[in-house]
Amino acid sequence: MLGICRRYASSEEEAEDIMIEGFLKVFQKLDQYKGDDERSLFTWIKTIMVNQSIDHFRMYRKIYEHEVVTDTSVMTDYTEEIVTRLDADHIMQMMEEMPEKQRVIFNLKEVEGYGFDEVAEMLQESVNTVRVYFFRARKWLQKRIKEEEKRF
C-alpha cells in the first residue's frame, strides 16, 4: 500500500502519512466490507488508499494551481515507446519530482487506469484541464527519462 501512496506523494514521509490515514479508514470501515475473498479485500483497501491520496492532494493543493488551462498545443498523439535502462526506484524518484498536479493525474490515468472523465470528477476539474495536465506529465516524464538515458 505504501507503493500506491508513494506514487501520489512528494516524499516518502508524505506517503507514509497518507498510508497511515488510509489504514485508519480501512479499520473504521471494515464493517462495510462485503467481499468474500483475499483478492477483493486487496482491491477494497487499494481503492481506499487511492481515495485517501486524492483527498490528501485536494486538502493540500496550492492556491496557484487553480489556474485556468487553455493551452491544448501539448495534446499531441504520442506513440513512441519509452525503452530505458532505469530501475523502478529511479523512475519513482523522478515521479516524486514531477509537479504535484501532473503526478496525481498521471497516476490516476496511467497507473490506476481511470478515464479522463473519472479523473476530472475525482479532482473536481474540467476534463480539458485533466487532459492538458496529463499530456504535460507525459512530456515531462519523457524529457526526464531521455536526460537520464544520456547519462548512461
Side-chain angles (χ1 to χ4, degrees):
M1 293 303 130
L2 182 60
I4 291 168
C5 297
R6 189 170 173 215
R7 290 193 301 255
Y8 295 92
S10 300
S11 67
E12 187 77 24
E13 294 80 21
E14 185 180 27
E16 289 171 358
D17 290 345
I18 294 168
M19 183 185 70
I20 290 168
E21 292 169 9
F23 274 117
L24 285 173
K25 284 190 178 178
V26 166
F27 292 122
Q28 290 169 348
K29 298 179 180 210
L30 200 52
D31 61 330
Q32 297 174 10
Y33 173 67
K34 305 234 186 291
D36 57 355
D37 63 2
E38 190 174 311
R39 182 174 166 90
S40 65
L41 178 63
F42 174 81
T43 303
W44 183 73
I45 293 172
K46 178 182 172 188
T47 301
I48 290 174
M49 293 299 169
V50 169
N51 288 334
Q52 184 62 39
S53 298
I54 293 167
D55 290 347
H56 182 84
F57 169 73
R58 276 192 205 134
M59 187 181 317
Y60 293 103
R61 91 168 60 171
K62 296 164 189 65
I63 294 171
Y64 68 85
E65 289 183 325
H66 290 286
E67 65 191 43
V68 176
V69 179
T70 57
D71 179 14
T72 58
S73 64
V74 296
M75 292 188 206
T76 58
D77 185 24
Y78 168 71
T79 57
E80 179 183 350
E81 184 174 329
I82 297 173
V83 178
T84 182
R85 288 174 274 167
L86 302 173
D87 64 13
D89 287 336
H90 200 113
I91 292 173
M92 286 297 297
Q93 182 181 1
M94 282 192 282
M95 290 293 293
E96 288 175 357
E97 296 168 6
M98 183 183 284
E100 186 175 41
K101 195 169 197 175
Q102 291 177 21
R103 181 179 64 245
V104 169
I105 290 171
F106 183 84
N107 279 314
L108 288 170
K109 176 75 176 91
E110 283 298 308
V111 180
E112 304 299 340
Y114 292 105
F116 286 117
D117 293 339
E118 295 168 307
V119 174
E121 186 177 322
M122 284 184 225
L123 300 179
Q124 300 168 345
E125 296 282 356
S126 75
V127 174
N128 286 338
T129 298
V130 169
R131 285 180 189 272
V132 168
Y133 275 102
F134 173 75
F135 287 107
R136 285 182 182 172
R138 283 176 58 171
K139 287 185 84 138
W140 185 93
L141 191 57
Q142 280 178 303
K143 181 180 175 187
R144 287 296 314 273
I145 288 173
K146 285 179 182 179
E147 289 170 1
E148 290 299 317
E149 285 180 333
K150 287 179 185 177
R151 292 179 49 203
F152 290 107

